[in-house]
Amino acid sequence: MPRPATPGYYASHWRSLDYFNLYRLTLAAALVFTSLLFSDSDLFRPGASERFQGFAYAYLVIAALFVLGIRARWPGFQIQLTAHIIADIIIVTLLMTTSERLAGGLGLLLVISIASGGLVGSGRLTLLYAAMASIAVLLQHGFSILGGSHATDSFFQIGLLCAGYFAIGWLAHALTQRALRSETLAQQQADELALLNRINALAIENSPDGLLAIRGDGVVRHASPRALALLGITAPVIPGVTLLQDCSPELARLVQQVGPGIAPTLSTPTSQVRVRCIPLATPDDSRVLVLEDQSQAEQAAQRLKLAALGRLTANIAHEIRNPLSAISHAAQLLHEDAHDPAQTRLTAIIENNARRLDRLVEEVLTLNRRDRLNPVSFDAASLAALIDELRQTEEIPAEAVIVSMPEPLRFQFDPDHLRQIVWNLLRNAWRYSRKQTGSIRFSAQMSGNSMQLEIADDGPGVAPEQRGKLFEPFCTTDAQGTGLGLFLARELAEANHATLAYVPGAGGARFRLSLYGGE
């Protein structure tokens, strides 16, 4: 069980006090042994050996009791230290009264107590201890002179002893103050280092890149949680024990190819990872592998593209629409006056491309308004009505679209956004389907507060090499397409806290709109 701390004192103070009391126990035991060994000698005054022995035993008992106080940390540190010094002064002074021959030597023991008190107590009250010891020794010597045991000229020797007490006290005070400043500085530096380590640990744990530190022999020294997630490692990695070859053989082989200016890509079960190597210039040839998720880089590039797109549309959207309106109007007038089939065909081309440009501008403007949400409640009937309206707009036969959804369907979505999403998916499904009965299938289902809407067709589906680019802006395989339909649909879905994804499988293309936390 940890011992309670004392405010203002470090654990080293109590440890030093413990050592100081160990010296006291040893001294008390030595005094007891001395009293037993020389009890019948003329070293003591007549009849004083028993008193010396009693004082020695009392000193031993007091030192043993001090052990309990130090272990309990009660009372406070300074109170205990002062009690220790006072006990030393009293016991030593009483021992000095039992023998004139031992008095001077016993008085020197107080020098050790004063010096130890100053060192252990960080220099506090050291001069007070020296003064108390001097007063006690002077009083003892004065009573000895009155008793006829010493002559008056022996005061010079006692004066030198008392001066030594103050000199030792002042020296201990100066040394302990210097040591205390060094200890305080070391503690501050240790606290700053611990804080820096915590900051580094938080930065590593929350970094979007994975960090992996390995030695030259392939032993993993550190692996961040993000690195383990990117590599798909589920087994425990023990720093300093686990080999990179054991937990990720592909990365271990790739590390041999990594060098300055070389950043190969590693395919993992979760993503494509770009590997960079940073040497640490250590004797064991340690290196840090930075694992960058390529999807993060693609998302960052996409955000930059969106920002540039937003700035572009904010400046030129209206300027584009005004000339488009004039071109469309002029094309209609030409079409009304056209009598030549070639002229009619040319005006039709103008009108078709003008409509295409107008649709492109409208889709981009809708993208810029994706955060303006006005969610309303939808149920099975309202969703079916929306699908039927869009089917008629695209002139799709009723028998070509099959709608299947449960009655207790209920969710919230921005109506304009949902219309745009369903319209894009329905238009793409009809474009690539076989255009037969049941070519397009709408299905919806509820699971708790979650809703899933699926749109499938019977067309050829999406080629595997094109699936990664489905939702990229301005990416299309149709010469008449803008490349913004699916990208816009996904952005609008995310604005409504939903996800739009392509579901691979046989039998055509299938897209799933998932909304979590619906009403």
Side-chain angles (χ1 to χ4, degrees):
M1 180 177 180
R3 302 174 184 172
T6 302
Y9 294 95
Y10 301 113
S12 59
H13 289 84
W14 288 101
R15 189 162 54 250
S16 299
L17 184 60
D18 205 1
Y19 292 151
F20 181 32
N21 193 60
L22 179 61
Y23 151 76
R24 185 177 291 102
L25 284 169
T26 305
L27 177 61
L31 292 174
V32 170
F33 178 76
T34 301
S35 66
L36 296 175
L37 186 62
F38 298 100
S39 60
D40 297 331
S41 68
D42 58 353
L43 188 63
F44 304 102
R45 294 177 182 176
S49 62
E50 292 81 5
R51 286 192 295 122
F52 186 92
Q53 186 176 351
F55 294 149
Y57 275 115
Y59 194 29
L60 183 61
V61 172
I62 292 173
L65 293 176
F66 283 156
V67 173
L68 301 178
I70 295 173
R71 292 295 183 270
R73 303 285 168 89
W74 184 88
F77 176 83
Q78 194 62 54
I79 295 177
Q80 287 202 43
L81 179 61
T82 302
H84 289 201
I85 302 301
I86 292 175
D88 288 349
I89 293 173
I90 293 175
I91 295 297
V92 170
T93 303
L94 292 175
L95 291 173
M96 290 172 64
T97 62
T98 62
S99 173
E100 293 83 1
R101 297 172 61 182
L102 294 178
L106 291 172
L108 291 176
L109 294 177
L110 292 180
V111 173
I112 300 176
S113 297
I114 294 171
S116 301
L119 294 173
V120 172
S122 303
R124 302 175 184 178
L125 305 179
T126 306
L127 297 180
L128 175 61
Y129 301 150
M132 293 171 60
S134 299
I135 293 172
V137 170
L138 288 172
L139 288 175
Q140 186 274 333
H141 191 69
F143 283 118
S144 297
I145 292 175
L146 293 176
S149 301
H150 290 89
T152 55
D153 58 357
S154 60
F155 266 112
F156 179 74
Q157 181 181 358
I158 296 300
L160 289 178
L161 182 61
C162 294
Y165 291 161
F166 280 98
I168 291 296
W170 177 84
L171 182 60
H173 174 77
L175 291 176
T176 52
Q177 288 300 314
R178 182 174 181 179
L180 183 61
R181 285 193 296 269
S182 300
E183 188 173 4
T184 303
L185 179 60
Q187 185 65 36
Q188 291 176 352
Q189 293 177 345
D191 293 341
E192 292 178 358
L193 182 60
L195 178 60
L196 183 60
N197 288 335
R198 289 197 297 271
I199 293 174
N200 290 337
L202 287 174
I204 291 174
E205 290 180 2
N206 294 277
S207 173
D209 298 331
L211 298 177
L212 199 67
I214 60 172
R215 295 200 312 235
D217 56 0
V219 175
V220 178
R221 304 187 66 171
H222 175 79
S224 68
R226 178 61 176 164
L228 299 179
L230 288 175
L231 295 174
I233 299 175
T234 57
V237 175
I238 303 175
V241 177
T242 304
L243 288 172
L244 183 62
Q245 177 67 32
D246 297 336
C247 57
S248 181
E250 297 82 3
L251 181 59
R253 288 194 297 269
L254 195 64
V255 166
Q256 306 301 325
Q257 308 172 11
V258 177
I262 301 176
T265 301
L266 174 67
S267 297
T268 68
T270 57
S271 61
Q272 293 286 326
V273 178
R274 182 170 174 261
V275 183
R276 291 192 297 114
C277 180
I278 303 176
L280 296 180
T282 57
D284 58 359
D285 193 24
S286 294
R287 291 166 287 176
V288 172
L289 302 180
V290 181
L291 311 179
E292 300 177 353
D293 190 355
Q294 291 296 94
S295 62
Q296 297 285 343
E298 292 174 359
Q299 291 176 6
Q302 184 175 337
R303 286 193 294 268
L304 291 175
K305 189 182 295 186
L306 283 176
L309 184 62
R311 290 192 296 268
L312 174 65
T313 56
N315 292 326
I316 67 173
H318 295 290
E319 284 73 6
I320 291 178
R321 273 195 153 182
N322 291 334
L324 277 178
S325 298
I327 293 172
S328 298
H329 183 65
Q332 291 175 2
L333 294 177
L334 287 175
H335 183 72
E336 292 174 358
D337 297 337
H339 301 288
D340 186 2
Q343 186 177 356
T344 302
R345 184 172 58 84
L346 292 176
T347 55
I349 293 175
I350 294 174
E351 290 179 352
N352 289 336
N353 283 277
R355 282 194 298 270
R356 180 185 175 193
L357 287 175
D358 186 67
R359 187 172 71 251
L360 174 62
V361 172
E362 180 61 31
E363 289 179 344
V364 173
L365 289 176
T366 302
L367 180 63
N368 285 340
R369 296 192 295 266
R370 65 188 182 277
D371 294 331
R372 302 175 189 176
L373 297 178
N374 184 26
V376 299
S377 295
F378 282 88
D379 54 16
S382 57
L383 181 57
L386 174 62
I387 295 173
D388 189 62
E389 176 190 343
L390 295 175
R391 177 191 61 77
Q392 296 179 24
T393 302
E394 290 295 319
E395 299 180 353
I396 302 174
E399 64 273 10
V401 180
I402 298 177
V403 180
S404 173
M405 60 186 68
E407 282 299 327
L409 181 69
R410 195 163 191 83
F411 62 96
Q412 285 195 339
F413 217 96
D414 184 283
D416 294 334
H417 292 177
L418 185 61
R419 176 186 296 273
Q420 187 72 31
I421 294 171
V422 176
W423 184 30
N424 277 314
L425 296 176
L426 178 63
R427 186 171 53 193
N428 286 343
W430 180 246
R431 179 183 304 167
Y432 295 104
S433 70
R434 298 179 182 177
K435 298 179 175 56
Q436 298 174 356
T437 301
S439 289
I440 302 175
R441 299 177 300 279
F442 279 86
S443 62
Q445 60 181 359
M446 292 290 296
S447 176
N449 290 332
S450 303
M451 185 277 297
Q452 287 187 346
L453 174 65
E454 289 192 356
I455 302 96
D457 62 63
D458 59 357
V462 181
E465 62 272 11
Q466 294 294 328
R467 294 174 185 175
K469 303 177 181 179
L470 271 178
F471 298 99
E472 289 187 5
F474 305 110
C475 181
T476 179
T477 58
D478 187 357
Q480 298 298 321
T482 63
L484 284 175
L486 289 177
F487 170 73
L488 175 63
R490 189 184 63 174
E491 291 295 318
L492 295 179
E494 292 180 354
N496 288 268
H497 309 291
T499 58
L500 179 63
Y502 174 75
V503 182
R510 179 188 301 178
F511 290 87
R512 178 180 298 160
L513 177 66
S514 302
L515 176 64
Y516 302 97
E519 188 180 272

